[in-house]
Amino acid sequence: MAIFIDPPLWPAHGTHFSHLVSDESLEELHVFAAAAGIPERAFDGDHYDVPERRFEDLVAAGAVPVEARILVRKLIASGLRIPARRRNKSLKVPLLNRWNTVMPGHDALFLDLLDRWSEPHRRYHGCTHLLSVLESLDLLTDPADPPRTVLLAAWFHDAVYRGVAGQDEEESARLAEERLLAAGLPEAKAYEVGRLVRLTSYHRPEQGDDDGALLCDADLSVLGGEPGEYARYVAAVRQDYAHIGDADFAAGRAAVVRRLLELDPLFHSGRAQELWLDAAQRNLKGELA
């Protein structure tokens, strides 16, 4: 049982903020915050936002300083994390922080990808899905970091999204190869990112393709959510395909659900199976019924 705080990296209101979390319970977090004089209005669902002027005294009071990515992992592992898809605040800052760990110095490419993921026709396949996949990769590889090519594939896997299965993934893969080569990534790694992106069109990596399995598991992690979360996911997918009539969407969605149920395995790593398999099978079978 511990309280954790990340560095004051998050700009707002003329200063920078840290996040304060518990790895055990919100009650513990609230008790610590109250004792430290942190106002209730600073609480944001699963953490407190605290200004940088409070960082040192909060550490002195017992908060354990950790990197931002470590803090997120501990929060996810605690079960207290509010999923990214349920947050309404702008995700630009947390996404930029993650981008700078994988492609520092390439702000223009980040902004282009952010614009793509923020397109107004996207409801499910937007920034919240991107952040959710990145967080799932953290969870699956903890305590190690996800491979760089897998992280880049996550950033590009739905960079092109027009609702055309197969074509979207192919165009996203080509975009990844083109932009990453231009950014100076070695050719072998750029084309590996493209290969990984293409896998997300059918989620069937070959045996022994650990990186492909990792990306596919993270991309499908939404299937293993709680019933309410899964219902919101299905509703958002329906909005993504608002241009398609109800009957055609129902038929197409049923085919997708059947294909997912036929995947053997649906999740490849033991960790992903432990986290999501039972709930995913329940959700998919319930939707099809």
Side-chain angles (χ1 to χ4, degrees), residues 3 17 50 53 74 85-86 91 95 114 139 153 157 170 172 181 190-191 207 214 220 239 246 261-262:
I3 300 295
F17 283 78
V50 292
R53 60 182 173 78
K74 290 185 177 297
R85 62 184 66 88
R86 288 171 52 191
L91 299 180
L95 285 173
L114 186 68
L139 196 57
H157 81 283
E170 178 60 30
S172 294
L181 286 170
Y191 286 119
Q207 187 172 3
L214 179 59
L220 295 182
Q239 289 180 299
D246 288 343
L261 283 169
E262 291 169 358

Side-chain angles (χ1 to χ4, degrees), residues 55-259:
F55 182 82
E56 294 297 337
D57 61 276
L58 290 172
V59 171
V64 179
V66 294
E67 296 178 32
R69 62 187 179 86
I70 300 300
L71 181 139
V72 171
R73 291 183 183 184
K74 290 185 177 297
L75 189 56
I76 293 173
S78 74
L80 301 175
R81 172 72 165 172
I82 295 178
R85 62 184 66 88
R86 288 171 52 191
R87 292 190 177 275
N88 294 322
K89 292 185 176 181
S90 170
L91 299 180
K92 180 178 180 179
V93 171
L95 285 173
L96 177 59
N97 184 60
R98 285 178 172 272
W99 176 258
N100 283 336
T101 68
V102 69
M103 286 291 286
H106 293 277
D107 293 351
L109 181 52
F110 165 75
L111 291 173
D112 177 59
L113 286 170
L114 186 68
D115 284 346
R116 291 173 179 275
W117 284 96
S118 303
E119 291 167 337
H121 67 278
R122 299 175 184 240
R123 292 299 180 269
Y124 170 65
H125 295 88
C127 288
T128 52
H129 171 58
L130 170 60
L131 184 54
S132 180
V133 170
L134 293 170
E135 289 181 346
S136 294
L137 289 174
D138 284 345
L139 196 57
L140 290 174
T141 59
D142 185 56
D145 292 327
R148 188 186 187 197
T149 51
V150 177
L151 287 171
L152 287 170
W155 276 93
F156 278 94
H157 81 283
D158 280 326
V160 176
Y161 183 74
R162 300 187 180 93
V164 183
Q167 181 177 322
D168 287 344
E169 289 82 2
E170 178 60 30
E171 291 187 19
S172 294
R174 292 179 182 175
L175 179 74
E177 292 162 353
E178 174 189 335
R179 297 296 173 83
L180 292 173
L181 286 170
L185 199 71
E187 185 174 293
K189 291 189 178 297
Y191 286 119
E192 170 64 3
V193 172
R195 183 190 74 82
L196 292 169
V197 170
R198 291 181 176 92
L199 283 179
T200 63
S201 66
Y202 53 89
H203 301 97
R204 291 182 183 271
E206 294 184 2
Q207 187 172 3
D209 182 5
D210 293 341
D211 286 356
L214 179 59
L215 179 64
C216 289
D217 284 352
D219 191 31
L220 295 182
S221 61
V222 66
L223 302 179
E226 293 300 316
E229 183 181 0
Y230 185 80
R232 287 188 291 271
Y233 148 70
V234 174
V237 171
R238 179 65 185 104
Q239 289 180 299
D240 275 355
Y241 290 89
H243 57 286
I244 295 177
D246 288 343
D248 288 340
F249 175 79
R253 178 64 188 174
V256 169
V257 172
R258 291 191 187 96
R259 179 183 65 80

Side-chain angles (χ1 to χ4, degrees), residues 1 15 36 219 240 263 274 288:
M1 183 181 296
T15 185
D219 191 31
D240 275 355
L263 287 177
E274 175 187 345
L288 196 59

